[in-house]
Amino acid sequence: MKQTYGLTVNGAQVDVQAEPDTSLLLVLRNNLNLLGARFGCGTGLCGACFVRVDGAVVPSCDTPIWSVEQKSVVTVEGLAEDDRLHPVQQALLDQQAAQCGYCIAGVLVSAAALLDDNPRPDERAAVEALDRNLCRCGVLRRIIRAVVRAGQESS
């Protein structure tokens, strides 16, 4: 039976109707038309669907909507402010670090969380922060360099 859930998504208060066990990913994509987070593995292991919930990076594919009621959700679409890209978004573009783009939304969410916690990460910190993000194209080294550069340029 569908219920109404209130949450904040990218700074906006929203009410969505869904079955209690509907995944946050499906609500974001189907109810709110936020298509950045992607379905990858469906078990929270690949990172393609990562979002932040109250500051923590979580897999939206196996996070039921009931568990995020009255919480703050930030998707890749919510990283930019006004017309200004988040520093990690700009760095990935500048470094041409993305290839196919399937994983990149989750990578950006993880990298932005890293920069919030550690504004000047070194390569090791970037590797650790992106450990849960699977990139099948093989551009992870470029992504890591871009994340480190984002910290250097934004400080």
Side-chain angles (χ1 to χ4, degrees):
M1 177 190 238
K2 286 189 176 183
Q3 298 177 17
T4 301
Y5 297 93
L7 56 151
T8 303
V9 179
N10 298 331
Q13 179 65 38
V14 297
D15 291 318
V16 294
Q17 285 203 340
E19 298 287 335
D21 289 331
T22 303
S23 72
L24 175 58
L25 177 63
L26 291 179
V27 168
L28 293 171
R29 291 182 65 83
N30 297 341
N31 297 60
L32 302 176
N33 202 33
L34 295 170
L35 305 177
R38 304 262 183 7
F39 182 86
C41 65
T43 59
L45 298 175
C46 73
C49 68
F50 282 178
V51 298
R52 291 181 80 179
V53 175
D54 284 350
V57 176
V58 301
S60 61
C61 70
D62 69 353
T63 299
I65 189 64
W66 65 261
S67 72
V68 297
E69 185 169 26
Q70 302 306 316
K71 294 186 179 182
S72 174
V73 176
V74 177
T75 69
V76 68
E77 293 92 345
L79 295 180
E81 291 185 27
D82 300 318
D83 290 334
R84 188 168 174 240
L85 293 177
H86 187 281
V88 78
Q89 290 172 309
Q90 188 64 57
L92 262 72
L93 285 173
D94 293 345
Q95 297 296 304
Q96 298 180 9
Q99 189 162 323
C100 83
Y102 203 83
C103 70
I104 212 66
V107 167
L108 286 166
V109 167
S110 295
L114 168 64
L115 292 179
D116 283 351
D117 294 339
N118 179 358
R120 294 190 53 90
D122 59 15
E123 185 173 314
R124 182 181 185 133
V127 167
E128 289 175 8
L130 300 178
D131 183 57
R132 294 174 41 205
N133 295 87
L134 176 62
C135 171
R136 294 175 190 222
C137 295
V139 295
L140 195 55
R141 298 298 317 153
R142 288 191 298 193
I143 292 170
I144 290 166
R145 281 195 302 271
V147 171
V148 171
R149 178 172 243 172
Q152 292 169 346
E153 292 178 356
S154 66
S155 297

